[in-house]
Structure formats: C-alpha cells, structure tokens
Amino acid sequence: MNFGVSIPFVELLGFELRLYEGGFSELGYTPRPEHLNSFNVTHGGALMTLLDVTMAVAARSVQQDMGAVTIEMKTSFMQPARGALTAKGRLMHRSATMAFTEGTVFDEQGRACAHATGTFKFVRRLPTGPKSAHDLNASPGVISTD
C-alpha cells in the first residue's frame, strides 16, 4: 500500500501504510537506532512526524486526489515509545477546505505513547493546461495555503 504521492522524509523514516480509507489511517513504524534519543527511546520529533503523517492520511482518505497541509498540531507525550510502533488516525470532521483529526501512537503492548490533534487544509493539484495537473509533489514554494 502506498501514500498516493512520494514523501521522501516518510520514506527515510520507513513508515508503512496499513490503512487508508473512510476517514481512518494506520501506519507501522519500527524506529532504527538513529531515530532514538539519548534515553534510547524513539525521539519525540520522529513521533510527531508519525502523528502528523497519520492524521494527514486520515484526512486525505476520504478524497485521495487532494493534498493536506498541516495548519496546527498539538501533541501530548504520555510514556516512552519503545520498539515497533503503530499509529492510528481518525478524521473527526471536515469542511470543504479543512480537516480536523486525531492520532495516537501505540507500542507493541498496545499502550498509548503519544496522542495528537491536528488541523489540515485541503489543497488541490494545480492546473497546468487542458486536462492536466501538477503532481502533489510540486516544486518548493508552489503549494499555497491561502
């Protein structure tokens, strides 16, 4: 299963898309040694990225031809995240232009390690001429949140 668009940073971290439909998402992530902090647990930045992607995928799952850019995100860290992780996202509400989501990261024992809420803006592919469109991977500076 793929994300429908190439996301180099997500590929670098090694996230695995497991569910992408009906307002729900699930991603798997096995952190590598370089993704750990000085306490030998998954770095908070990696967890926030996992939550951000999980929530964006949940938002996009109801209209996969749209992009979703993060407008706001609040994250709470509940306990250290060790070992293989699973992140689950849910689209709570959407309007024509915005998505309101939540996501949780679980460890192998099913314990919640981190939780986030996020607001995303839907963005359309940019027209380039008759019957064509730019990919979601636009050149830097091309995606507008206006």
Side-chain angles (χ1 to χ4, degrees):
M1 182 173 279
N2 68 53
F3 292 90
V5 62
S6 175
I7 311 168
F9 190 55
V10 169
E11 293 167 9
L12 178 71
L13 290 170
F15 295 170
E16 173 195 356
L17 182 60
R18 298 177 181 164
L19 176 66
Y20 178 34
E21 65 183 45
F24 294 93
S25 64
E26 183 176 310
L27 279 72
Y29 173 45
T30 302
R32 295 187 294 269
E34 59 269 26
H35 302 159
L36 306 181
N37 64 20
S38 59
F39 297 104
N40 207 35
V41 297
T42 307
H43 190 281
L47 292 172
M48 289 186 76
T49 300
L50 178 59
L51 286 163
D52 181 52
V53 173
T54 299
M55 292 186 297
V57 169
R60 288 187 60 229
S61 70
V62 295
Q63 190 173 352
Q64 296 184 12
D65 63 332
M66 294 292 282
V69 295
T70 310
I71 300 299
E72 176 273 336
M73 181 174 169
K74 180 199 181 295
T75 305
S76 298
F77 299 98
M78 295 175 271
Q79 63 179 323
R82 295 180 175 94
L85 305 172
T86 298
K88 296 182 179 186
R90 179 175 74 98
L91 174 63
M92 298 165 40
H93 176 75
R94 83 166 278 183
S95 68
T97 60
M98 305 291 279
F100 302 88
T101 63
E102 68 177 351
T104 306
V105 174
F106 300 93
D107 66 13
E108 290 174 312
Q109 288 72 42
R111 296 179 296 221
C113 300
H115 180 80
T117 57
T119 306
F120 295 82
K121 180 170 177 137
F122 290 112
V123 292
R124 295 189 187 284
R125 295 178 182 192
L126 302 172
T128 60
K131 299 182 182 180
S132 66
H134 287 293
D135 289 333
L136 289 175
N137 290 335
S139 300
V142 173
I143 294 178
S144 171
T145 59
D146 295 337

